[in-house]
């Protein structure tokens, strides 16, 4: 089947629909001074504590720069930290007995995990892998969708050997839609995307560009029935994926649009060879 001449409008997976929100004071939490010994950290919904960072904070400790610790009360009588565990450790190190906090009542571990991700989503301090780990542990649906797709392809997300870490590319591709039916279609395309990439190139060939590029190809041709997974594997497995990405960068420098669109286009060209 030759689909090179098919007129295609690639879908912009970065486009998001925003809705206006009515903000109330309660949404921002309540100011409270809380004893340090009443604060706890649930490691399931927090990244690992970095002692070196606490040491650095201690050397330049300034109460005016301490800010507020974001916490949520639980039935055991303790307040669990959503944001500020390093500052809590700092408070203990410098001998503080209480610290200023913002208290938000969250109903479940899922809400706490989502709160951590939301607080830190625009911060360079938390990585996509951290968000994924915490999101899965606290059963945030957007990250459970990612896990389902990754598990389907026989892959793992992480920073170690035999892991992929292109969480943001997978997240945007799946969760960019608002309708459940569209999200389900995105998940089908992502499962095929990761499966094909893993079968053809292994871990080293899976990054944000190849994921987004193959996703655009899969959504346009696999989801609509123009071709199938096994045919794609047969046609893509001999591609030098590093060369393909290099060609996409060259095309981007000499043209318009996004590099990922050129990656998707080059997959299409290679399919038709």
């Amino acid at each position: 089947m030759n689909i090179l001449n098919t007129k295609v409008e690639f879908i912009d997976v970065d486009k998001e629909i925003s809705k206006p929100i009515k903000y109330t004071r309660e949404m921002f939490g309540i100011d409270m001074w809380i004893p340090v010994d009443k604060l706890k950290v649930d490691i399931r919904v927090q990244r690992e504590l970095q002692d070196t960072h606490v040491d650095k904070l201690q050397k330049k400790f300034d109460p005016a720069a301490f800010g507020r610790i974001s916490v949520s009360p639980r039935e055991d009588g303790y307040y669990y930290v959503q944001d500020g565990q390093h500052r809590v450790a700092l408070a203990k190190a410098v001998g503080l007995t209480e610290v200023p906090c913002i208290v938000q009542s969250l109903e479940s571990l899922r809400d706490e995990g989502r709160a951590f991700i939301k607080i830190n989503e625009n911060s360079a301090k938390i990585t996509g892998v951290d968000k994924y780990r915490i999101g899965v542990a606290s059963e945030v649906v957007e990250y459970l969708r990612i896990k389902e797709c990754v598990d389907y392809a026989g892959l793992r997300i992480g920073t170690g050997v035999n892991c992929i870490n292109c969480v943001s590319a997978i997240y945007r591709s799946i969760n960019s839609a608002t309708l459940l039916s569209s999200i389900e279609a995105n998940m089908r395309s992502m499962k095929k995307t990761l499966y094909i990439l893993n079968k053809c190139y292994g871990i080293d060939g899976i990054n944000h560009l190849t994921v987004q590029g193959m996703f655009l190809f899969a959504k346009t041709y696999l989801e609509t029935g123009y071709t199938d997974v096994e045919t794609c594997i047969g046609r893509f497995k001999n591609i030098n994926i590093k060369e393909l990405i290099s060609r996409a960068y060259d095309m981007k420098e000499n043209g318009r649009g996004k590099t990922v669109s050129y990656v998707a286009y080059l997959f299409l060209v290679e399919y038709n060879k």
Side-chain angles (χ1 to χ4, degrees), residues 97-115:
T97 58
E98 59 179 5
V99 291
C101 297
I102 292 290
V103 181
Q104 289 185 309
S105 295
L106 302 175
E107 295 182 357
S108 65
L109 185 68
R110 178 184 300 178
D111 291 337
E112 290 185 20
R114 186 182 291 276

Side-chain angles (χ1 to χ4, degrees), residues 90 187 206 214:
L90 169 65
M187 288 182 67
I206 302 176
M214 183 63 77

